[in-house]
Every structure is written in C-alpha cells, then in structure tokens.
Amino acid sequence: MKINQNYLDLKNSYLFSTVAKKISAYKEANPDKKVIRMDIGDVTLPLCGAVVTALRKAVEDMSQKETFRGYGPEQGYDFLREAIAGYYAKIGVALSADEIFVSDGAKSDIGNMLDLFDRDNNVLIPDPVYPVYRDTNIMAGRRISFIEANAGNNFLPMPDQAGSADIIYLCSPNNPTGAVYSHEQLKSWVDYANGRGAVIFFDAAYESFVGEAALPRSIFEIPGAETCAVEFCSFSKTAGFTGTRCGYTVVPHALVCGETKLRDMWLRRQTTKFNGVPYIVQRAAEAVFTPEGLFETRKNIAYYMENGKLIAKTMRELGITFVGGETSPYIWMQCGMDSWDYFDMLLERANVTGTPGAGFGRAGEGYFRLTAFGTQEATAEAMERMKALKKIDPAF
Ligand code: MLT
C-alpha cells in the first residue's frame, strides 16, 4: 500500500484535540482544581422546548408501523429543506429547496466539498482561521496561500491582497476573531470571485449572532453570489446541536464551471457517499424554524451574548485589546506573549482555558480566543479569576 503522504504535512493533532488533551492531563494531575473551559466553542444550554417536543414526536413516529421511516433522501427531507428555504426568505434570499442539502454539520461539508475540485487550484485561506479549512486542503495536497487578518485591516482581509485565488474561504461572523464583513465588503469578494471564475466557500455557522445588526447573515444577500458561492451553515451554534449533529449547505443552480453545475456534482457526491441525517434529528431541526423554536433559540443566543458582553467589559477593565463578542460568540484578545505559554499560564494560575491564537494560524500568534458559550455563572467566575490574576501579576 501507499499512504496519502500529505497527512505527514499536518500537525500531528487537530487543534481542539491538542487543547482537550492538555486540559485532561492538567485535571488528572490536579483533581481538586475546578477548571472553567472557554476553549472549544461548545454550547452549554440544553436543546430548547420546541426541539425536544419535535424529537419526542419523531421517536414516536419511528415506533409505529404507519409512520416509521427507513432510508431518507440523501439531501434531506423536503420538510426541513423547505423550512430552511423559508428562513432564508425572511432575509430576502430566494432559494429553492433543491439547492439546499442537509448534512451532519458544516465541518463535514466544508471538508467534503473539496471532492468536487481538482487538486490543481490555488486555495486562499484567511489567517487566523478555523483550522478545518487549512487541514483539509493540506490532506488533499493543494497549494495554499494565506491572507492575513490583523488589526490593520480590522481582521477583515479584502481581495486587494488576494493574489490569484481559485477557492476562497470566508467566515463571517468570523471564527476565531469575531469580525463581521459588511455588505459592501462581501460585494468586493463576490465581484473578485466572479471576475476570476473562482468559488467562495462561505462559512455562515455563526450567522445567528448577527442579531438585529445591519450586517449580512448570508453571502446570498449579495447580488452575484449565486454564481460564485457555496454556503455552509449549522444548527450547532444556532440551536445547540453540537451533540445532535445537523447542518446544511447551499449550492445554487447558477454556480457552474463551464457547462457543469456544481449543485449536480454535489448531489452526485452526497447520494454516493452519504446516507442522510436521521429522521428524528431532521424533525428536531425543522422545529428550530417554528415560531416557538425561533423565539427559544433567540433567547439562548441572547444568553450567550450576555457572556460576550461580560467578557468584553472585563477585557476593557483589564486594559486588554480585543475584538469580537458583540456580533459573535468569540472574543479575540491580545495576550502579549506566546499564545501556548499564555494557555499554560492561564490554566495553571487561574484554572481557566481558552484557545491559543497560534493554533488558528501564524498570524494568530500573540492572540488568544475565549468563547461565550459557557454558562453565565462559569463565565462570571472565569472573569473574576482573570481580574484576580491581574491584581497579583500586572504583567498578565
Ligand atoms: C470552535 O471552537 O472553533 C468550534 O466549536 C469548532 C467547530 O465548530 O468545529
């Protein structure tokens, strides 16, 4: 046999696995310490009432001969795809249900979408970035260029720095920085991609954190995006599905390469390699879009946003430069030292965790990411611990 040698070019552990391993080792050595986790963006509130009711009802369906379901459509049940199309319609984006593909989450689709593209493409990835974009392209052996997101461009790199990209990754609200592109800024990217015949992979996993702000939640709010973009979204952060697993990807009919529709290629890929998301999970996801589901999930987002505000307030009090936290669940703070050293120091001295910026890319060095997805009690306690640490060690 011959292995895929590209795997040898990866760091030997995925960022969040490395962080989790370090935390487990610390806890094992210090069983008396109460560690507060603000590293991986995992939700802490339970599924909302509307979702749980739908799950129970769907389990009941599966227990009766008349309503039992076996294999479902690989691209998702109509009831869920239509509910998703309805959600987009509310922000003025007209999609047909057959442009929407339901999956077990955005992470899988972001990686799997690369099946549609030749190895010989120039990939453009912001730095810092959600490590899945980088690692999946390293696995495939593609050429990657990085485009820096830094204080100088308000963490929102623009196409004038893009060079000659064929596949472009954008994430807004951004993981890890929390920065959000405006309509005008996204329009520049759409024009750039259409001008070059490039494709944009738009990660909208954090769209529900935009709230009432006049900022885009979907790239398809931008005229022209239907001929150059694919959008990935997820119920993980919007509705607490990190353990339930459901997401969706939009591949518009108008997105073509020559005569070939990418939407048809994706359908072909999914029908061959994927057997769909469980019926009960799709019923649960459908409930997110009911009036009760929308009300309850918004309430949960507001809860996390209170954490974001508290973290931002604490950063200001401590004189720490940061971005994010207001229209995103992440706070990207300057840590003023090697970010893995900061991780160790914060874990050991305050028993608080976060994610070292260097794990998101070279330009993330000197930064540290905190998540707002904790409980309000734990977040408040973590902020008190950081303040106490600053009092005894002003260099912190
Ligand atoms: C993160 O912490 O960046 C995310 O939770 C990871 C993910 O969504 O896979």
Side-chain angles (χ1 to χ4, degrees), residues 3 51 69 92 102 122 140 167 174 199 212 237 248 271 277 281 286 316 332 365 371:
I3 57 158
V51 166
R69 313 273 183 129
V102 176
N122 295 327
I167 300 175
N174 188 266
V199 63
E212 301 304 313
K237 315 295 154 100
Y248 51 91
T271 48
V277 174
V281 172
E286 179 193 22
R316 279 186 205 105
W332 185 242
E365 190 48 282
T371 149

Side-chain angles (χ1 to χ4, degrees), residues 38-89:
M38 300 182 77
D39 50 284
I40 191 162
D42 198 4
V43 293
T44 49
L45 290 174
L47 297 172
C48 70
V51 166
V52 172
T53 304
L55 267 174
R56 291 204 171 107
K57 159 90 176 48
V59 169
E60 192 54 33
D61 290 348
M62 293 299 274
S63 74
Q64 307 293 326
K65 214 157 111 200
E66 297 72 28
T67 46
F68 170 77
R69 313 273 183 129
Y71 288 125
E74 295 90 344
Q75 63 270 45
Y77 283 102
D78 287 351
F79 62 76
L80 178 53
R81 289 184 298 126
E82 272 151 24
I84 295 167
Y87 183 62
Y88 274 93

Side-chain angles (χ1 to χ4, degrees), residues 29-326:
N30 302 277
D32 53 316
K33 303 279 195 226
K34 191 176 157 272
V35 174
I36 299 178
R37 293 199 53 173
M38 300 182 77
D39 50 284
I40 191 162
D42 198 4
V43 293
T44 49
L45 290 174
L47 297 172
C48 70
V51 166
V52 172
T53 304
L55 267 174
R56 291 204 171 107
K57 159 90 176 48
V59 169
E60 192 54 33
D61 290 348
M62 293 299 274
S63 74
Q64 307 293 326
K65 214 157 111 200
E66 297 72 28
T67 46
F68 170 77
R69 313 273 183 129
Y71 288 125
E74 295 90 344
Q75 63 270 45
Y77 283 102
D78 287 351
F79 62 76
L80 178 53
R81 289 184 298 126
E82 272 151 24
I84 295 167
Y87 183 62
Y88 274 93
K90 287 198 184 127
I91 52 167
V93 174
L95 294 178
S96 69
D98 65 358
E99 294 172 303
I100 298 165
F101 296 78
V102 176
S103 74
D104 68 342
K107 177 179 176 177
S108 330
D109 281 1
I110 288 169
N112 293 335
M113 186 57 71
L114 290 171
D115 274 13
L116 273 47
F117 297 89
D118 197 287
R119 189 167 162 236
D120 182 22
N121 274 296
N122 295 327
V123 177
L124 183 71
I125 300 182
D127 176 6
V129 79
Y130 179 41
V132 172
Y133 311 161
R134 177 190 65 215
D135 288 359
T136 51
N137 278 290
I138 293 176
M139 287 171 181
R142 285 204 184 80
R143 289 182 301 276
I144 306 175
S145 322
F146 292 97
I147 184 170
E148 246 192 59
N150 51 35
N153 56 22
N154 296 319
F155 299 93
L156 294 167
M158 295 302 294
D160 54 332
Q161 303 167 260
S164 49
D166 303 311
I167 300 175
I168 301 156
Y169 287 80
L170 298 177
C171 176
S172 178
N174 188 266
N175 178 15
T177 69
V180 190
Y181 280 111
S182 68
H183 288 85
E184 295 70 30
Q185 288 170 320
L186 281 187
K187 177 79 175 114
S188 305
W189 277 112
V190 165
D191 290 346
Y192 170 83
N194 277 324
R196 280 191 53 74
V199 63
I200 296 174
F201 283 16
F202 190 77
D203 183 348
Y206 299 95
E207 59 83 24
S208 50
F209 288 84
V210 167
E212 301 304 313
L215 292 164
R217 302 172 75 128
S218 162
I219 190 134
F220 297 117
E221 290 178 54
I222 312 302
E226 65 286 356
T227 53
C228 67
V230 172
E231 178 157 298
F232 305 92
C233 204
S234 163
F235 293 91
S236 285
K237 315 295 154 100
T238 302
F241 274 50
T242 50
T244 310
R245 307 305 314 148
C246 196
Y248 51 91
T249 289
V250 179
V251 191
H253 282 292
L255 179 61
V256 292
C257 183
E259 299 290 295
T260 310
K261 276 189 176 185
L262 270 75
R263 182 254 167 220
D264 295 351
M265 289 175 74
W266 183 240
L267 178 66
R268 188 70 178 83
R269 192 250 172 232
Q270 292 298 80
T271 48
T272 308
K273 294 197 183 179
F274 183 59
N275 253 342
V277 174
Y279 169 73
I280 55 174
V281 172
Q282 293 195 56
R283 281 292 185 202
E286 179 193 22
V288 170
F289 300 113
T290 59
E292 311 78 62
L294 286 171
F295 175 77
E296 291 171 339
T297 50
R298 276 186 199 135
K299 214 165 113 194
N300 288 356
I301 301 281
Y303 173 96
Y304 295 129
M305 294 319 290
E306 283 304 310
N307 284 340
K309 280 188 212 151
L310 177 66
I311 301 169
K313 180 167 166 272
T314 309
M315 295 298 117
R316 279 186 205 105
E317 276 173 44
L318 296 179
I320 295 174
T321 307
F322 71 98
V323 280
E326 265 134 39

